[in-house]
PDB file of all heavy atoms in Angstrom:
ATOM      1  N   PHE K 114      33.433 -50.879   8.343  1.00 95.00           N
ATOM      2  CA  PHE K 114      32.307 -51.617   7.750  1.00 95.00           C
ATOM      3  C   PHE K 114      32.375 -51.734   6.221  1.00 95.00           C
ATOM      4  O   PHE K 114      31.464 -52.281   5.608  1.00 95.00           O
ATOM      5  CB  PHE K 114      30.977 -50.948   8.137  1.00 95.00           C
ATOM      6  CG  PHE K 114      30.644 -51.065   9.596  1.00 95.00           C
ATOM      7  CD1 PHE K 114      30.870 -50.010  10.471  1.00 95.00           C
ATOM      8  CD2 PHE K 114      30.092 -52.236  10.117  1.00 95.00           C
ATOM      9  CE1 PHE K 114      30.561 -50.108  11.821  1.00 95.00           C
ATOM     10  CE2 PHE K 114      29.773 -52.344  11.469  1.00 95.00           C
ATOM     11  CZ  PHE K 114      30.007 -51.274  12.327  1.00 95.00           C
ATOM     12  N   ALA K 115      33.446 -51.235   5.629  1.00 94.00           N
ATOM     13  CA  ALA K 115      33.526 -51.229   4.153  1.00 94.00           C
ATOM     14  C   ALA K 115      33.393 -52.630   3.565  1.00 94.00           C
ATOM     15  O   ALA K 115      32.704 -52.834   2.548  1.00 94.00           O
ATOM     16  CB  ALA K 115      34.842 -50.594   3.714  1.00 94.00           C
ATOM     17  N   LYS K 116      33.998 -53.607   4.225  1.00 95.00           N
ATOM     18  CA  LYS K 116      33.963 -54.976   3.692  1.00 95.00           C
ATOM     19  C   LYS K 116      32.562 -55.568   3.727  1.00 95.00           C
ATOM     20  O   LYS K 116      32.281 -56.546   3.026  1.00 95.00           O
ATOM     21  CB  LYS K 116      34.927 -55.852   4.491  1.00 95.00           C
ATOM     22  CG  LYS K 116      36.376 -55.615   4.104  1.00 95.00           C
ATOM     23  CD  LYS K 116      37.305 -56.502   4.877  1.00 95.00           C
ATOM     24  CE  LYS K 116      38.745 -56.153   4.539  1.00 95.00           C
ATOM     25  NZ  LYS K 116      39.688 -56.747   5.477  1.00 95.00           N
ATOM     26  N   GLN K 117      31.703 -55.023   4.539  1.00 95.00           N
ATOM     27  CA  GLN K 117      30.318 -55.530   4.615  1.00 95.00           C
ATOM     28  C   GLN K 117      29.397 -54.777   3.644  1.00 95.00           C
ATOM     29  O   GLN K 117      28.168 -54.889   3.734  1.00 95.00           O
ATOM     30  CB  GLN K 117      29.801 -55.392   6.052  1.00 95.00           C
ATOM     31  CG  GLN K 117      30.574 -56.274   7.033  1.00 95.00           C
ATOM     32  CD  GLN K 117      30.151 -56.027   8.468  1.00 95.00           C
ATOM     33  OE1 GLN K 117      28.977 -56.117   8.793  1.00 95.00           O
ATOM     34  NE2 GLN K 117      31.100 -55.706   9.318  1.00 95.00           N
ATOM     35  N   GLY K 118      29.980 -53.993   2.781  1.00 95.00           N
ATOM     36  CA  GLY K 118      29.167 -53.291   1.784  1.00 95.00           C
ATOM     37  C   GLY K 118      28.541 -52.019   2.321  1.00 95.00           C
ATOM     38  O   GLY K 118      27.442 -51.635   1.908  1.00 95.00           O
ATOM     39  N   VAL K 119      29.243 -51.370   3.239  1.00 96.00           N
ATOM     40  CA  VAL K 119      28.728 -50.107   3.800  1.00 96.00           C
ATOM     41  C   VAL K 119      29.565 -48.957   3.233  1.00 96.00           C
ATOM     42  O   VAL K 119      30.794 -49.041   3.187  1.00 96.00           O
ATOM     43  CB  VAL K 119      28.831 -50.109   5.344  1.00 96.00           C
ATOM     44  CG1 VAL K 119      28.378 -48.769   5.917  1.00 96.00           C
ATOM     45  CG2 VAL K 119      27.999 -51.236   5.937  1.00 96.00           C
ATOM     46  N   VAL K 120      28.885 -47.909   2.816  1.00 95.00           N
ATOM     47  CA  VAL K 120      29.590 -46.730   2.325  1.00 95.00           C
ATOM     48  C   VAL K 120      29.071 -45.483   3.066  1.00 95.00           C
ATOM     49  O   VAL K 120      27.875 -45.376   3.318  1.00 95.00           O
ATOM     50  CB  VAL K 120      29.439 -46.570   0.784  1.00 95.00           C
ATOM     51  CG1 VAL K 120      27.994 -46.382   0.373  1.00 95.00           C
ATOM     52  CG2 VAL K 120      30.278 -45.425   0.267  1.00 95.00           C
ATOM     53  N   VAL K 121      30.003 -44.641   3.456  1.00 96.00           N
ATOM     54  CA  VAL K 121      29.609 -43.346   4.030  1.00 96.00           C
ATOM     55  C   VAL K 121      29.615 -42.356   2.872  1.00 96.00           C
ATOM     56  O   VAL K 121      30.581 -42.311   2.098  1.00 96.00           O
ATOM     57  CB  VAL K 121      30.598 -42.889   5.131  1.00 96.00           C
ATOM     58  CG1 VAL K 121      30.234 -41.499   5.635  1.00 96.00           C
ATOM     59  CG2 VAL K 121      30.604 -43.881   6.287  1.00 96.00           C
ATOM     60  N   LEU K 122      28.525 -41.612   2.735  1.00 96.00           N
ATOM     61  CA  LEU K 122      28.461 -40.589   1.682  1.00 96.00           C
ATOM     62  C   LEU K 122      28.245 -39.234   2.354  1.00 96.00           C
ATOM     63  O   LEU K 122      27.212 -39.007   2.999  1.00 96.00           O
ATOM     64  CB  LEU K 122      27.320 -40.894   0.708  1.00 96.00           C
ATOM     65  CG  LEU K 122      27.120 -39.876  -0.424  1.00 96.00           C
ATOM     66  CD1 LEU K 122      28.355 -39.783  -1.321  1.00 96.00           C
ATOM     67  CD2 LEU K 122      25.898 -40.216  -1.265  1.00 96.00           C
ATOM     68  N   GLY K 123      29.221 -38.356   2.226  1.00 96.00           N
ATOM     69  CA  GLY K 123      29.097 -37.024   2.798  1.00 96.00           C
ATOM     70  C   GLY K 123      28.470 -36.071   1.801  1.00 96.00           C
ATOM     71  O   GLY K 123      28.855 -36.047   0.633  1.00 96.00           O
ATOM     72  N   VAL K 124      27.468 -35.317   2.256  1.00 97.00           N
ATOM     73  CA  VAL K 124      26.868 -34.271   1.410  1.00 97.00           C
ATOM     74  C   VAL K 124      27.264 -32.932   2.021  1.00 97.00           C
ATOM     75  O   VAL K 124      26.733 -32.532   3.060  1.00 97.00           O
ATOM     76  CB  VAL K 124      25.328 -34.408   1.325  1.00 97.00           C
ATOM     77  CG1 VAL K 124      24.750 -33.289   0.460  1.00 97.00           C
ATOM     78  CG2 VAL K 124      24.933 -35.759   0.767  1.00 97.00           C
ATOM     79  N   ASP K 125      28.216 -32.277   1.396  1.00 97.00           N
ATOM     80  CA  ASP K 125      28.675 -30.975   1.859  1.00 97.00           C
ATOM     81  C   ASP K 125      27.724 -29.922   1.285  1.00 97.00           C
ATOM     82  O   ASP K 125      27.714 -29.684   0.085  1.00 97.00           O
ATOM     83  CB  ASP K 125      30.111 -30.737   1.369  1.00 97.00           C
ATOM     84  CG  ASP K 125      30.552 -29.314   1.602  1.00 97.00           C
ATOM     85  OD1 ASP K 125      30.497 -28.867   2.756  1.00 97.00           O
ATOM     86  OD2 ASP K 125      30.942 -28.640   0.628  1.00 97.00           O
ATOM     87  N   ALA K 126      26.930 -29.324   2.150  1.00 97.00           N
ATOM     88  CA  ALA K 126      25.869 -28.425   1.660  1.00 97.00           C
ATOM     89  C   ALA K 126      26.104 -26.993   2.119  1.00 97.00           C
ATOM     90  O   ALA K 126      26.667 -26.757   3.197  1.00 97.00           O
ATOM     91  CB  ALA K 126      24.517 -28.907   2.155  1.00 97.00           C
ATOM     92  N   GLN K 127      25.684 -26.043   1.280  1.00 96.00           N
ATOM     93  CA  GLN K 127      25.748 -24.606   1.585  1.00 96.00           C
ATOM     94  C   GLN K 127      27.151 -24.212   2.053  1.00 96.00           C
ATOM     95  O   GLN K 127      27.317 -23.595   3.101  1.00 96.00           O
ATOM     96  CB  GLN K 127      24.678 -24.259   2.624  1.00 96.00           C
ATOM     97  CG  GLN K 127      23.288 -24.526   2.090  1.00 96.00           C
ATOM     98  CD  GLN K 127      22.181 -24.263   3.090  1.00 96.00           C
ATOM     99  OE1 GLN K 127      22.381 -24.414   4.290  1.00 96.00           O
ATOM    100  NE2 GLN K 127      21.019 -23.904   2.608  1.00 96.00           N
TER     101      GLN K 127
END
Side-chain angles (χ1 to χ4, degrees):
Chain K
F114 292 100
K116 283 181 184 166
Q117 295 174 55
V119 177
V120 62
V121 176
L122 178 61
V124 179
D125 170 56
Q127 298 177 330

